[in-house]
Amino acid sequence: MKRSLWLEEISSELTPLPSLEGNHVVDVAIVGGGFVGLWTALQIVELDSECKVIIIERDICGGGASGRNGGFVMSWWPKISSLSAQCGKDEAVRLARASAAAIGEIEQFCIKHNIDAHFRRAGWLWTATTNAQRGAWKDVVKTCQRLGESVFLPLSNNEVARRAGSGKHLEGVLEVSNATVQPARLVRGMRRVALEKGIKIFENTPMSNFERSSPAVLHTPNGSITATRVVLAHNAWSAEIPELRRTILPVTSTIVATTPIPDRLKKIGWTGGEAITDSQLMVDYYRTTQDGRIAFGKGTGMISFASRVDGGYDDNPDLSEDTERDFRRTYPQLNDVPITHSWCGPIDRTYDSLPVFGHLEGSPNIFYGVGWSGNGVGPSRLGGRILASLALGLDDEWSRCGLVGREPKRFPPEPFRYFGGLMVRRAVQRKEAAEADDESPAWLDRKLAGLAPSGLEDKNL
């Protein structure tokens, strides 16, 4: 498996824990050792120190999305309209506020446990890099203002271009609460803390299958776990479960990273450390690193038949070329700067790009939290609270929150999902390529692109 830059930077610290062997009996078994699984486990033992918890991870903790993402620690404010539609205005505001507070909580967690995750709170620039993208944020900003929340700071067009280090950024707004992290350092630090708190973790331990009994039984290649309650937190791989197959769609996101260029960053003026996105549906997202690299990502959106997550989700040269092309277009003055790293990863996208929580049909002891849609670094902390409350049988604001048991729009069944998805993806690519050249997209491409799932933000494009 091709590792991300983030994991390569700490390669000496990636010795895996032993895989699970034999039969184990616990209170809670968690499938998935990324942000969601680890936050859930940590919250469970904080609420109930006597609870016996096991995490199984098919790779190493952080080998999935948690160690491959762009390291944007964002809130749910950009999704306030979708949240309101799902949860109602008051609950949407509560969850958005909590997601913003979680950013600071992650910082305090790192300080408390001496985790050097390169946490930097420099805000998020939501920008337009083509004329078609101008004003994409206006409805979100108006909704926040109507709710009495001054979330987005208006900037002059010159200030946006100056902060972003490129005149390709035509206009934008700043969300000041957002941060960046080196995500692999964060997830591996969480793993260490979990072990210190007595949580058992088994790496290189895929779940072969599970019995929907009470207690449930999880089978692995060399053993089993009998658990009173189970939490499924394995991201895009959850599409293997029949009830969740049409709730999430595994799609690729791709990142390229430059060689360190701190002097060039200073020259172009991108020294504030802002996380930046444009307003495409197949979004470009980018940030600088502590050693002066640019990590530039794109929601490349590759899908597979029956949502099988295979090696093409880890490394795909065509997708890396697409992503580098967008980087070169956005920063033409850096065309001579070499790319040293590229990698892909699967994202568990829901139709509205908000997560879904609940229990499997007929199995009230088997819970899931899926659909992070590329924005899980910050909100996963709230997901851990929600799943911990569900797993412990608590009746509180998290087990009752508006994202639990919701019925989001579902993706079509196969083969319509795959072949229809290919048509929509290609239409989006053609539409956004035309817009990048300031040309009008074809009517059919606009119509087909309108069928695509919601993106990182609620937009008025």
Side-chain angles (χ1 to χ4, degrees):
M1 177 185 294
K2 189 172 186 180
R3 296 295 190 197
S4 66
L5 163 68
W6 317 123
L7 288 165
E8 281 192 13
E9 284 184 353
I10 57 170
S11 58
S12 62
E13 305 170 26
L14 300 182
T15 302
L17 294 164
S19 58
L20 183 139
E21 294 186 359
N23 302 317
H24 300 255
V25 179
V26 294
D27 298 309
V28 180
I30 298 174
V31 182
F35 288 136
V36 178
L38 286 165
W39 282 128
T40 300
L42 289 165
Q43 182 70 7
I44 285 172
V45 297
E46 182 175 323
L47 293 169
D48 183 355
S49 59
E50 300 300 314
C51 190
K52 295 179 181 178
V53 181
I54 276 182
I55 296 174
I56 57 171
E57 165 56 48
R58 64 184 298 137
D59 184 18
I60 58 171
C61 291
S66 297
R68 304 188 211 179
N69 62 80
F72 284 36
V73 191
M74 298 177 66
S75 72
W76 275 331
W77 283 116
K79 299 295 298 181
I80 187 62
S81 297
S82 294
L83 271 176
S84 297
Q86 280 292 323
C87 309
K89 182 187 73 173
D90 292 344
E91 177 70 348
V93 170
R94 184 184 78 85
L95 288 171
R97 287 174 176 167
S99 70
I103 300 170
E105 292 168 7
I106 291 171
E107 181 181 22
Q108 291 305 309
F109 181 88
C110 290
I111 293 170
K112 179 179 179 180
H113 297 288
N114 195 29
I115 298 171
D116 182 16
H118 300 177
F119 186 98
R120 185 176 185 181
R121 199 162 196 170
W124 163 50
L125 275 174
W126 183 359
T127 76
T129 57
T130 68
N131 285 316
Q133 297 172 27
R134 288 181 182 272
W137 45 84
K138 287 184 178 179
D139 282 353
V140 171
V141 172
K142 288 178 181 177
T143 299
C144 289
Q145 291 172 341
R146 191 164 58 247
L147 295 170
E149 302 288 340
S150 300
V151 177
F152 294 92
L153 179 68
L155 299 175
S156 71
N157 295 352
N158 287 339
E159 178 71 0
V160 172
R162 184 193 68 79
R163 283 174 175 259
S166 170
K168 294 291 184 179
H169 298 86
L170 305 177
E171 59 182 29
V173 291
L174 179 70
E175 214 279 55
V176 297
S177 72
N178 288 201
T180 57
V181 292
Q182 205 281 30
R185 289 178 177 268
L186 175 57
V187 71
R188 300 298 288 187
M190 292 170 62
R191 170 185 178 270
R192 169 176 58 79
V193 175
L195 292 169
E196 291 170 354
K197 292 184 176 294
I199 296 164
K200 292 184 178 180
I201 302 175
F202 295 94
E203 295 178 314
N204 289 325
T205 304
M207 179 178 66
S208 307
N209 57 73
F210 62 97
E211 298 176 30
R212 304 183 183 216
S213 48
S214 185
V217 182
L218 310 184
H219 296 280
T220 71
N222 298 304
S224 67
I225 306 170
T226 300
T228 306
R229 295 171 294 278
V230 172
V231 173
L232 302 173
H234 54 319
N235 202 266
W237 288 268
S238 300
E240 298 170 355
I241 298 170
E243 296 99 309
L244 303 180
R245 191 165 293 148
R246 292 181 57 195
T247 299
I248 60 172
L249 179 68
V251 299
T252 54
S253 196
T254 306
I255 301 179
V256 298
T258 68
T259 188
I261 51 167
D263 292 339
R264 298 287 293 276
L265 292 176
K266 189 178 297 184
K267 184 177 180 180
I268 68 173
W270 189 6
T271 57
E274 296 91 346
I276 307 174
T277 69
D278 69 359
S279 299
Q280 294 184 96
L281 181 62
M282 299 178 75
V283 64
D284 286 341
Y285 57 95
Y286 33 108
R287 43 79 60 95
T288 56
T289 66
Q290 192 174 80
D291 61 350
R293 300 175 188 265
I294 295 174
F296 191 103
K298 182 175 181 61
T300 42
M302 185 193 79
I303 61 175
S304 61
F305 188 81
S307 296
R308 285 188 285 267
V309 180
D310 56 22
Y313 283 82
D314 297 326
D315 182 23
N316 188 307
D318 290 340
L319 300 183
S320 295
E321 286 180 14
D322 289 346
T323 305
E324 181 177 352
R325 190 178 304 115
D326 278 18
F327 164 62
R328 303 294 183 192
R329 184 174 65 238
T330 308
Y331 289 94
Q333 70 272 53
L334 301 179
N335 274 342
D336 61 317
V337 174
I339 298 295
T340 59
H341 294 77
S342 65
W343 67 95
C344 303
I347 290 174
D348 53 337
R349 167 147 288 175
T350 57
Y351 217 95
D352 61 8
S353 290
L354 289 171
V356 183
F357 302 88
H359 64 77
L360 296 185
E361 186 177 350
S363 301
N365 58 328
I366 303 177
F367 303 95
Y368 59 83
V370 298
W372 299 95
S373 301
N375 184 24
V377 181
S380 63
R381 180 164 172 84
L382 299 189
R385 285 185 178 146
I386 293 167
L387 289 166
S389 289
L390 291 171
L392 292 175
L394 303 181
D395 182 15
D396 61 16
E397 71 271 28
W398 300 112
S399 64
R400 296 192 306 269
C401 98
L403 297 175
V404 174
R406 72 188 187 97
E407 294 290 339
K409 183 176 179 179
R410 304 178 78 198
F411 293 96
E414 296 292 12
F416 304 104
R417 175 173 49 178
Y418 178 66
F419 292 107
L422 289 181
M423 289 178 60
V424 170
R425 179 174 182 262
R426 289 167 184 159
V428 171
Q429 289 175 317
R430 290 191 298 267
K431 172 181 177 289
E432 295 186 333
E435 291 170 346
D437 293 330
D438 271 337
E439 297 176 356
S440 179
W443 175 86
L444 183 59
D445 287 341
R446 289 200 306 271
K447 290 297 182 182
L448 287 173
L451 301 176
S454 174
L456 181 68
E457 316 98 349
D458 294 327
K459 305 186 187 82
N460 60 318
L461 292 177

